Coordinates of all heavy atoms in Angstrom, one line a residue:
M1 N 60.3 52.5 3.2 CA 58.9 52.3 3.2 C 58.5 51.4 2.0 O 57.5 50.6 2.2 CB 58.2 53.7 2.9 CG 58.3 54.6 4.1 SD 57.4 53.9 5.5 CE 57.2 55.3 6.5
F2 N 59.3 51.4 1.0 CA 58.9 50.5 -0.2 C 59.0 49.0 0.2 O 58.2 48.2 -0.2 CB 59.9 50.8 -1.3 CG 59.5 50.0 -2.6 CD1 58.4 50.3 -3.3 CD2 60.3 49.0 -3.0 CE1 58.1 49.6 -4.4 CE2 60.0 48.3 -4.1 CZ 58.9 48.6 -4.8
S3 N 60.1 48.7 1.0 CA 60.2 47.3 1.4 C 59.1 46.9 2.4 O 58.7 45.7 2.3 CB 61.6 47.1 2.1 OG 61.7 47.9 3.2
I4 N 58.6 47.8 3.2 CA 57.5 47.4 4.1 C 56.2 47.1 3.2 O 55.5 46.2 3.4 CB 57.2 48.5 5.1 CG1 58.4 48.7 6.1 CG2 55.9 48.3 5.8 CD1 58.3 49.9 7.0
F5 N 56.0 48.0 2.2 CA 54.9 47.8 1.3 C 55.0 46.4 0.6 O 54.1 45.7 0.4 CB 54.7 48.9 0.3 CG 53.7 48.6 -0.7 CD1 52.3 48.7 -0.4 CD2 54.0 48.3 -2.0 CE1 51.3 48.4 -1.3 CE2 53.0 48.0 -2.9 CZ 51.7 48.0 -2.6
K6 N 56.2 46.1 0.1 CA 56.5 44.9 -0.6 C 56.1 43.6 0.3 O 55.5 42.7 -0.2 CB 57.9 44.8 -1.1 CG 58.1 45.5 -2.3 CD 57.3 44.9 -3.4 CE 57.7 45.3 -4.8 NZ 56.8 44.8 -5.8
I7 N 56.5 43.7 1.6 CA 56.1 42.6 2.5 C 54.6 42.5 2.7 O 54.1 41.4 2.6 CB 56.8 42.9 3.9 CG1 58.4 42.7 3.7 CG2 56.3 41.9 4.9 CD1 59.2 43.2 4.9
I8 N 54.0 43.6 2.9 CA 52.5 43.6 3.0 C 51.9 43.1 1.7 O 50.9 42.3 1.8 CB 52.0 45.1 3.3 CG1 52.4 45.5 4.7 CG2 50.5 45.1 3.2 CD1 52.2 46.9 5.1
D9 N 52.4 43.6 0.6 CA 51.8 43.1 -0.7 C 52.0 41.6 -0.9 O 51.1 40.9 -1.3 CB 52.5 43.9 -1.8 CG 52.0 43.6 -3.2 OD1 50.7 43.6 -3.3 OD2 52.8 43.3 -4.1
L10 N 53.2 41.1 -0.5 CA 53.4 39.7 -0.7 C 52.5 38.9 0.2 O 51.9 37.9 -0.2 CB 54.9 39.4 -0.4 CG 55.3 37.9 -0.5 CD1 55.2 37.4 -1.9 CD2 56.7 37.8 0.0
A11 N 52.3 39.3 1.5 CA 51.4 38.6 2.4 C 50.0 38.6 1.9 O 49.3 37.6 1.9 CB 51.5 39.3 3.8
I12 N 49.5 39.7 1.3 CA 48.1 39.8 0.8 C 48.0 39.0 -0.4 O 47.0 38.3 -0.5 CB 47.8 41.3 0.6 CG1 47.6 42.0 1.9 CG2 46.5 41.4 -0.3 CD1 47.3 43.5 1.8
R13 N 49.0 39.0 -1.3 CA 48.9 38.1 -2.5 C 48.9 36.6 -2.1 O 48.1 35.8 -2.6 CB 50.1 38.3 -3.4 CG 50.0 39.6 -4.1 CD 51.3 39.8 -5.0 NE 51.3 41.1 -5.5 CZ 51.1 41.4 -6.9 NH1 51.0 40.4 -7.7 NH2 51.2 42.6 -7.3
A14 N 49.6 36.2 -1.1 CA 49.6 34.9 -0.6 C 48.3 34.5 0.0 O 47.7 33.4 -0.3 CB 50.7 34.6 0.4
L15 N 47.7 35.4 0.8 CA 46.4 35.1 1.4 C 45.3 35.0 0.3 O 44.4 34.1 0.4 CB 46.0 36.2 2.4 CG 46.8 36.2 3.7 CD1 46.5 37.5 4.5 CD2 46.4 35.0 4.5
K16 N 45.4 35.9 -0.7 CA 44.4 35.8 -1.8 C 44.5 34.5 -2.5 O 43.5 33.9 -2.9 CB 44.5 37.0 -2.7 CG 44.0 38.3 -2.1 CD 44.4 39.5 -2.8 CE 44.2 39.6 -4.2 NZ 44.4 40.9 -4.9
M17 N 45.8 34.0 -2.8 CA 46.0 32.8 -3.4 C 45.4 31.6 -2.6 O 44.8 30.7 -3.1 CB 47.5 32.6 -3.7 CG 47.8 31.3 -4.5 SD 47.0 31.2 -6.1 CE 47.8 32.5 -7.0
L18 N 45.7 31.7 -1.3 CA 45.1 30.6 -0.4 C 43.6 30.6 -0.4 O 43.0 29.5 -0.4 CB 45.7 30.7 1.0 CG 47.2 30.3 1.1 CD1 47.7 30.7 2.5 CD2 47.4 28.8 0.8
I19 N 43.0 31.8 -0.5 CA 41.5 31.8 -0.5 C 41.0 31.2 -1.8 O 40.1 30.4 -1.8 CB 41.0 33.3 -0.3 CG1 41.3 33.7 1.1 CG2 39.6 33.4 -0.7 CD1 41.0 35.2 1.3
L20 N 41.7 31.5 -2.9 CA 41.3 30.9 -4.2 C 41.5 29.4 -4.2 O 40.7 28.6 -4.7 CB 42.1 31.5 -5.3 CG 41.7 32.9 -5.8 CD1 42.7 33.4 -6.8 CD2 40.3 32.9 -6.3
I21 N 42.6 28.9 -3.6 CA 42.8 27.5 -3.5 C 41.7 26.8 -2.6 O 41.2 25.8 -2.9 CB 44.2 27.2 -2.9 CG1 45.3 27.6 -3.9 CG2 44.3 25.7 -2.4 CD1 46.7 27.5 -3.3
R22 N 41.3 27.5 -1.5 CA 40.2 27.0 -0.7 C 38.9 26.9 -1.5 O 38.2 25.9 -1.3 CB 40.1 27.9 0.5 CG 39.0 27.3 1.5 CD 39.0 28.1 2.8 NE 37.9 27.6 3.6 CZ 37.8 27.8 4.8 NH1 38.7 28.4 5.5 NH2 36.7 27.3 5.5
I23 N 38.7 27.9 -2.3 CA 37.4 27.8 -3.1 C 37.5 26.6 -4.1 O 36.5 25.9 -4.2 CB 37.3 29.2 -3.9 CG1 37.0 30.3 -3.0 CG2 36.2 29.0 -5.0 CD1 37.0 31.7 -3.6
V24 N 38.6 26.5 -4.7 CA 38.7 25.3 -5.7 C 38.6 24.0 -5.0 O 37.9 23.1 -5.4 CB 40.1 25.4 -6.5 CG1 40.3 24.2 -7.3 CG2 40.1 26.7 -7.4
I25 N 39.2 23.9 -3.8 CA 39.1 22.7 -3.0 C 37.7 22.4 -2.7 O 37.2 21.3 -2.7 CB 40.0 22.7 -1.7 CG1 41.5 22.6 -2.1 CG2 39.6 21.6 -0.8 CD1 42.4 22.9 -0.9
S26 N 36.9 23.4 -2.3 CA 35.5 23.2 -1.9 C 34.7 22.8 -3.1 O 33.7 22.1 -2.9 CB 35.0 24.5 -1.3 OG 34.7 25.5 -2.3
W27 N 35.1 23.1 -4.3 CA 34.3 22.7 -5.5 C 34.7 21.3 -5.9 O 33.9 20.5 -6.3 CB 34.5 23.7 -6.6 CG 33.9 25.0 -6.5 CD1 33.0 25.4 -5.6 CD2 34.3 26.2 -7.2 NE1 32.7 26.7 -5.7 CE2 33.5 27.2 -6.7 CE3 35.2 26.5 -8.2 CZ2 33.5 28.5 -7.2 CZ3 35.3 27.7 -8.7 CH2 34.4 28.8 -8.2
V28 N 36.0 21.0 -5.9 CA 36.5 19.8 -6.5 C 36.5 18.6 -5.5 O 36.1 17.5 -5.9 CB 38.0 20.0 -7.0 CG1 38.6 18.7 -7.5 CG2 38.1 21.1 -8.1
A29 N 36.9 18.9 -4.3 CA 37.0 17.8 -3.3 C 36.6 18.4 -1.9 O 37.4 18.6 -1.1 CB 38.4 17.3 -3.2
P30 N 35.3 18.6 -1.8 CA 34.8 19.3 -0.5 C 35.1 18.5 0.7 O 35.2 19.0 1.8 CB 33.3 19.5 -0.8 CG 33.0 18.5 -1.8 CD 34.2 18.3 -2.6
Y31 N 35.2 17.2 0.7 CA 35.3 16.3 1.8 C 36.8 15.8 2.0 O 37.0 14.9 2.8 CB 34.3 15.2 1.9 CG 32.9 15.7 1.8 CD1 32.2 15.6 0.7 CD2 32.4 16.4 2.9 CE1 30.9 16.1 0.6 CE2 31.1 16.9 2.9 CZ 30.3 16.7 1.7 OH 29.1 17.2 1.6
S32 N 37.7 16.4 1.2 CA 39.1 16.0 1.3 C 39.7 16.4 2.6 O 39.6 17.6 3.0 CB 39.8 16.6 0.1 OG 41.2 16.3 0.2
R33 N 40.4 15.5 3.2 CA 41.1 15.9 4.5 C 42.5 15.4 4.4 O 42.8 14.2 4.4 CB 40.4 15.2 5.7 CG 39.0 15.7 5.9 CD 39.0 17.2 6.4 NE 37.7 17.6 6.5 CZ 37.2 18.6 5.9 NH1 37.9 19.3 5.0 NH2 35.9 19.0 6.1
N34 N 43.5 16.3 4.3 CA 44.9 15.9 4.3 C 45.6 17.1 4.9 O 45.0 18.1 5.2 CB 45.4 15.5 2.9 CG 45.2 16.6 1.9 OD1 45.5 17.8 2.1 ND2 44.7 16.2 0.7
E35 N 46.9 17.0 4.9 CA 47.7 18.1 5.6 C 47.6 19.4 4.8 O 47.6 20.5 5.4 CB 49.2 17.7 5.7 CG 49.4 16.6 6.7 CD 50.9 16.1 6.8 OE1 51.7 16.9 6.3 OE2 51.1 15.0 7.3
F36 N 47.6 19.4 3.5 CA 47.5 20.6 2.7 C 46.2 21.3 2.9 O 46.1 22.5 3.1 CB 47.8 20.3 1.2 CG 47.7 21.5 0.3 CD1 48.7 22.5 0.4 CD2 46.6 21.7 -0.5 CE1 48.6 23.6 -0.4 CE2 46.5 22.8 -1.3 CZ 47.5 23.8 -1.2
T37 N 45.1 20.6 2.8 CA 43.8 21.2 3.0 C 43.6 21.7 4.4 O 43.0 22.8 4.6 CB 42.6 20.2 2.7 OG1 42.7 19.1 3.5 CG2 42.6 19.9 1.2
H38 N 44.2 21.0 5.4 CA 44.1 21.5 6.7 C 44.9 22.8 6.9 O 44.4 23.7 7.6 CB 44.7 20.4 7.7 CG 44.7 20.8 9.1 ND1 43.5 20.8 9.9 CD2 45.7 21.1 10.0 CE1 43.8 21.2 11.1 NE2 45.1 21.4 11.2
L39 N 46.1 22.9 6.3 CA 46.9 24.1 6.3 C 46.1 25.3 5.7 O 46.0 26.4 6.2 CB 48.2 23.9 5.6 CG 49.0 25.2 5.4 CD1 49.6 25.6 6.8 CD2 50.1 25.0 4.4
V40 N 45.5 25.0 4.5 CA 44.7 26.1 3.8 C 43.6 26.5 4.7 O 43.3 27.7 4.8 CB 44.2 25.6 2.5 CG1 43.2 26.6 1.8 CG2 45.4 25.3 1.5
H41 N 42.9 25.6 5.3 CA 41.7 26.0 6.2 C 42.2 26.7 7.4 O 41.6 27.7 7.9 CB 40.9 24.7 6.6 CG 40.0 24.3 5.5 ND1 38.7 24.6 5.5 CD2 40.2 23.5 4.4 CE1 38.1 24.1 4.4 NE2 39.0 23.4 3.7
E42 N 43.3 26.3 8.0 CA 43.8 27.0 9.2 C 44.3 28.4 9.0 O 44.1 29.3 9.8 CB 45.0 26.2 9.8 CG 44.6 24.9 10.5 CD 43.8 25.1 11.7 OE1 44.2 26.0 12.5 OE2 42.8 24.4 11.9
V43 N 44.8 28.6 7.8 CA 45.3 30.0 7.5 C 44.2 30.9 7.0 O 44.1 32.1 7.4 CB 46.4 29.9 6.4 CG1 46.8 31.3 5.9 CG2 47.6 29.2 6.9
T44 N 43.2 30.4 6.3 CA 42.2 31.2 5.7 C 41.0 31.4 6.7 O 40.3 32.4 6.5 CB 41.7 30.7 4.4 OG1 41.2 29.4 4.5 CG2 42.8 30.8 3.3
E45 N 40.7 30.5 7.5 CA 39.5 30.6 8.4 C 39.5 31.9 9.3 O 38.4 32.5 9.4 CB 39.4 29.3 9.3 CG 38.1 29.3 10.0 CD 36.8 29.3 9.2 OE1 36.9 28.9 8.0 OE2 35.8 29.8 9.6
P46 N 40.6 32.3 9.9 CA 40.5 33.5 10.6 C 40.2 34.8 9.8 O 39.6 35.7 10.3 CB 41.9 33.7 11.2 CG 42.5 32.3 11.2 CD 41.9 31.6 10.1
I47 N 40.4 34.7 8.5 CA 40.1 35.8 7.6 C 38.6 35.7 7.2 O 37.9 36.7 7.1 CB 41.0 35.8 6.4 CG1 42.5 36.0 6.8 CG2 40.6 36.8 5.4 CD1 43.5 35.6 5.8
L48 N 38.2 34.5 6.9 CA 36.8 34.3 6.4 C 35.7 34.4 7.4 O 34.6 34.8 7.2 CB 36.8 33.0 5.6 CG 37.7 32.9 4.4 CD1 37.5 31.5 3.8 CD2 37.4 34.0 3.4
K49 N 36.1 33.9 8.6 CA 35.1 33.8 9.7 C 34.3 35.1 10.0 O 33.1 35.1 10.1 CB 35.7 33.3 11.0 CG 34.7 32.9 12.0 CD 35.3 32.3 13.2 CE 34.3 31.9 14.2 NZ 34.9 31.2 15.4
P50 N 35.0 36.3 10.1 CA 34.3 37.5 10.4 C 33.3 37.9 9.3 O 32.2 38.4 9.6 CB 35.4 38.6 10.5 CG 36.6 37.8 10.8 CD 36.5 36.5 10.2
F51 N 33.6 37.6 8.0 CA 32.7 37.8 6.9 C 31.5 36.9 7.0 O 30.4 37.2 6.6 CB 33.4 37.8 5.6 CG 34.5 38.9 5.5 CD1 35.8 38.6 5.6 CD2 34.1 40.2 5.3 CE1 36.8 39.5 5.5 CE2 35.0 41.2 5.2 CZ 36.4 40.9 5.3
R52 N 31.7 35.7 7.4 CA 30.6 34.7 7.5 C 29.6 35.2 8.6 O 28.4 34.9 8.6 CB 31.1 33.3 7.9 CG 31.4 32.5 6.7 CD 31.5 31.1 7.0 NE 32.4 30.5 6.1 CZ 33.7 30.3 6.3 NH1 34.2 30.4 7.5 NH2 34.5 29.8 5.4
M53 N 30.2 35.8 9.7 CA 29.3 36.3 10.7 C 28.5 37.5 10.2 O 27.4 37.7 10.7 CB 30.1 36.7 11.9 CG 30.8 35.5 12.6 SD 32.0 35.9 13.8 CE 31.0 36.2 15.2
L54 N 29.0 38.3 9.3 CA 28.3 39.4 8.7 C 27.2 39.0 7.9 O 26.1 39.5 7.9 CB 29.2 40.3 7.9 CG 30.2 41.2 8.7 CD1 31.2 41.9 7.7 CD2 29.5 42.2 9.6
I55 N 27.4 38.0 7.0 CA 26.4 37.5 6.1 C 26.2 36.0 6.4 O 27.0 35.1 5.9 CB 26.8 37.7 4.6 CG1 27.1 39.1 4.3 CG2 25.8 37.1 3.7 CD1 27.5 39.4 2.9
P56 N 25.3 35.6 7.3 CA 25.1 34.2 7.6 C 24.6 33.5 6.4 O 23.9 34.0 5.5 CB 24.1 34.2 8.7 CG 23.5 35.6 8.7 CD 24.4 36.5 8.0
L57 N 25.0 32.2 6.3 CA 24.6 31.4 5.1 C 23.1 31.2 5.0 O 22.5 31.3 3.9 CB 25.3 30.0 5.3 CG 25.5 29.2 4.0 CD1 26.3 30.0 3.0 CD2 26.3 28.0 4.3
G58 N 22.4 30.9 6.1 CA 21.0 30.7 6.1 C 20.5 29.7 5.1 O 21.0 28.6 5.0
T59 N 19.5 30.1 4.3 CA 19.0 29.2 3.3 C 19.8 29.2 2.0 O 19.7 28.4 1.1 CB 17.5 29.5 2.9 OG1 17.5 30.9 2.5 CG2 16.7 29.4 4.1
M60 N 20.7 30.2 1.9 CA 21.5 30.4 0.7 C 22.6 29.3 0.7 O 23.3 29.1 1.8 CB 22.2 31.8 0.7 CG 22.8 32.1 -0.6 SD 23.3 33.9 -0.7 CE 24.2 34.1 0.8
R61 N 22.9 28.7 -0.4 CA 23.9 27.6 -0.4 C 25.3 28.1 -0.8 O 26.2 27.3 -0.9 CB 23.4 26.5 -1.4 CG 22.1 25.9 -1.0 CD 22.2 25.0 0.2 NE 23.2 23.9 0.0 CZ 23.7 23.2 1.0 NH1 23.4 23.5 2.2 NH2 24.5 22.3 0.7
M62 N 25.4 29.4 -1.2 CA 26.7 29.9 -1.6 C 27.3 30.8 -0.5 O 26.7 31.7 0.0 CB 26.5 30.7 -2.9 CG 27.8 31.2 -3.4 SD 27.6 32.2 -4.9 CE 27.2 31.0 -6.1
D63 N 28.5 30.5 -0.2 CA 29.3 31.2 0.8 C 29.9 32.4 0.1 O 30.8 32.2 -0.7 CB 30.3 30.3 1.5 CG 31.0 31.0 2.6 OD1 30.6 32.1 3.0 OD2 32.0 30.4 3.1
L64 N 29.5 33.6 0.5 CA 30.1 34.8 -0.1 C 31.3 35.4 0.7 O 31.9 36.4 0.3 CB 29.0 35.9 -0.2 CG 27.8 35.5 -1.1 CD1 26.8 36.7 -1.1 CD2 28.3 35.3 -2.5
S65 N 31.7 34.8 1.8 CA 32.8 35.3 2.6 C 34.1 35.4 1.8 O 34.8 36.3 2.0 CB 32.9 34.5 3.9 OG 33.2 33.1 3.6
P66 N 34.4 34.4 0.9 CA 35.7 34.6 0.2 C 35.7 35.8 -0.7 O 36.7 36.5 -0.8 CB 35.8 33.3 -0.6 CG 35.0 32.3 0.1 CD 33.9 33.1 0.7
V67 N 34.6 36.2 -1.3 CA 34.5 37.3 -2.2 C 34.7 38.6 -1.3 O 35.4 39.5 -1.7 CB 33.1 37.4 -2.9 CG1 32.9 38.6 -3.7 CG2 32.9 36.1 -3.8
L68 N 34.0 38.7 -0.2 CA 34.1 39.8 0.7 C 35.6 39.9 1.2 O 36.1 41.1 1.3 CB 33.1 39.7 1.8 CG 31.7 39.8 1.5 CD1 30.8 39.6 2.7 CD2 31.3 41.1 0.8
A69 N 36.2 38.8 1.6 CA 37.5 38.9 2.1 C 38.5 39.3 1.0 O 39.4 40.1 1.2 CB 37.9 37.5 2.6
Y70 N 38.3 38.9 -0.2 CA 39.1 39.3 -1.4 C 39.0 40.8 -1.5 O 40.1 41.5 -1.7 CB 38.6 38.6 -2.6 CG 39.6 38.2 -3.6 CD1 40.4 37.0 -3.3 CD2 39.9 38.9 -4.7 CE1 41.4 36.7 -4.2 CE2 40.8 38.5 -5.6 CZ 41.6 37.4 -5.4 OH 42.6 37.0 -6.2
F71 N 37.8 41.4 -1.5 CA 37.7 42.8 -1.6 C 38.3 43.5 -0.4 O 39.0 44.6 -0.6 CB 36.2 43.2 -1.7 CG 35.6 42.9 -3.0 CD1 34.4 42.3 -3.1 CD2 36.2 43.3 -4.2 CE1 33.8 42.0 -4.3 CE2 35.6 43.1 -5.4 CZ 34.4 42.4 -5.5
A72 N 38.2 43.0 0.8 CA 38.8 43.6 1.9 C 40.3 43.6 1.8 O 41.0 44.6 2.2 CB 38.3 42.9 3.2
L73 N 40.9 42.5 1.4 CA 42.3 42.4 1.2 C 42.8 43.4 0.1 O 43.9 44.0 0.3 CB 42.8 41.0 0.9 CG 42.7 40.0 2.0 CD1 42.9 38.6 1.5 CD2 43.7 40.3 3.1
N74 N 42.0 43.6 -0.9 CA 42.4 44.6 -1.9 C 42.3 46.0 -1.3 O 43.2 46.8 -1.6 CB 41.5 44.5 -3.1 CG 41.9 43.4 -4.0 OD1 43.0 42.9 -4.1 ND2 40.9 42.8 -4.8
L75 N 41.4 46.3 -0.5 CA 41.2 47.6 0.1 C 42.4 47.8 1.1 O 43.0 48.9 1.1 CB 39.9 47.6 0.9 CG 39.7 48.9 1.7 CD1 39.5 50.1 0.7 CD2 38.4 48.8 2.5
I76 N 42.8 46.8 1.9 CA 43.9 46.9 2.8 C 45.2 47.2 2.0 O 46.0 48.0 2.3 CB 44.1 45.7 3.6 CG1 42.9 45.6 4.6 CG2 45.4 45.6 4.4 CD1 42.8 44.3 5.3
R77 N 45.4 46.5 0.9 CA 46.6 46.7 0.0 C 46.6 48.1 -0.5 O 47.6 48.8 -0.5 CB 46.6 45.7 -1.1 CG 47.8 45.8 -2.0 CD 47.7 44.9 -3.2 NE 48.9 45.1 -4.0 CZ 49.0 46.1 -4.9 NH1 48.1 47.0 -5.0 NH2 50.1 46.1 -5.6
S78 N 45.4 48.6 -1.0 CA 45.4 50.0 -1.5 C 45.7 51.0 -0.4 O 46.4 52.0 -0.7 CB 44.0 50.3 -2.1 OG 43.8 49.5 -3.2
L79 N 45.1 50.8 0.8 CA 45.4 51.7 1.9 C 46.9 51.7 2.3 O 47.5 52.8 2.5 CB 44.5 51.4 3.1 CG 43.1 51.7 3.0 CD1 42.3 51.1 4.2 CD2 42.8 53.2 2.9
A80 N 47.5 50.5 2.3 CA 48.9 50.4 2.6 C 49.7 51.2 1.5 O 50.7 51.9 1.9 CB 49.3 49.0 2.7
Y81 N 49.4 51.0 0.3 CA 50.0 51.7 -0.8 C 49.9 53.2 -0.6 O 50.9 54.0 -0.7 CB 49.4 51.3 -2.1 CG 50.1 52.0 -3.3 CD1 51.3 51.6 -3.8 CD2 49.5 53.1 -3.9 CE1 51.9 52.2 -4.9 CE2 50.1 53.7 -5.0 CZ 51.3 53.3 -5.5 OH 51.9 53.9 -6.5
S82 N 48.7 53.7 -0.3 CA 48.5 55.1 -0.2 C 49.3 55.7 1.0 O 49.9 56.8 0.9 CB 47.0 55.4 0.0 OG 46.3 55.1 -1.1
L83 N 49.3 55.0 2.1 CA 50.0 55.5 3.3 C 51.5 55.4 3.3 O 52.2 56.2 3.8 CB 49.5 54.7 4.5 CG 48.0 54.9 4.9 CD1 47.6 54.0 6.0 CD2 47.8 56.4 5.3
L84 N 52.0 54.3 2.6 CA 53.4 54.1 2.7 C 54.2 54.6 1.5 O 55.4 55.0 1.6 CB 53.7 52.6 2.8 CG 53.3 51.9 4.1 CD1 53.4 50.4 4.0 CD2 54.0 52.5 5.3
L85 N 53.6 54.8 0.4 CA 54.3 55.2 -0.8 C 53.9 56.6 -1.4 O 54.5 57.0 -2.4 CB 54.1 54.1 -1.9 CG 54.7 52.8 -1.6 CD1 54.4 51.8 -2.8 CD2 56.1 52.8 -1.3
R86 N 53.1 57.3 -0.7 CA 52.7 58.6 -1.2 C 53.2 59.6 -0.3 O 53.4 59.6 0.8 CB 51.2 58.7 -1.4 CG 50.8 57.8 -2.6 CD 49.6 58.2 -3.1 NE 49.3 57.3 -4.2 CZ 48.5 57.6 -5.2 NH1 47.9 58.7 -5.3 NH2 48.3 56.7 -6.1

């Protein structure tokens, strides 16, 4: 069970890192288009899209979906820990 948790933990850490990279890219070079940014967007968009549907951007200029996704990934990690290691 520990190895299953380690795989889940590694995947969640990688997703969280990619979300942070996407945030930084959107601040530093929002119109940058290359293979790396395309990869980051392709991997993170399926995670962020449901949260964008929950909280539409509307007149607000700040996208809160990465914050919500970050919390959701932490919750999933905690649930996996509780179910697999206790």
Side-chain angles (χ1 to χ4, degrees):
M1 292 294 199
F2 184 72
S3 61
I4 295 172
F5 174 73
K6 279 298 195 185
I7 293 169
I8 293 170
D9 184 48
L10 181 64
I12 288 175
R13 285 176 189 251
L15 287 171
K16 288 169 48 175
M17 183 60 66
L18 286 173
I19 290 171
L20 283 175
I21 290 170
R22 182 171 173 160
I23 291 169
V24 171
I25 289 171
S26 73
W27 290 342
V28 175
Y31 302 107
S32 172
R33 297 288 177 243
N34 57 46
E35 290 178 19
F36 179 71
T37 58
H38 181 71
L39 173 71
V40 170
H41 281 264
E42 288 292 317
V43 172
T44 57
E45 187 59 27
I47 297 163
L48 298 177
K49 189 175 182 177
F51 295 106
R52 271 197 210 100
M53 294 170 84
L54 287 174
I55 301 177
L57 202 56
T59 59
M60 192 170 54
R61 299 292 298 163
M62 183 181 287
D63 184 11
L64 296 176
S65 61
V67 175
L68 296 175
Y70 216 78
F71 286 130
L73 288 170
N74 282 334
L75 179 66
I76 291 168
R77 184 186 177 280
S78 296
L79 287 173
Y81 178 81
S82 296
L83 292 173
L84 294 173
L85 297 180
R86 292 200 180 205

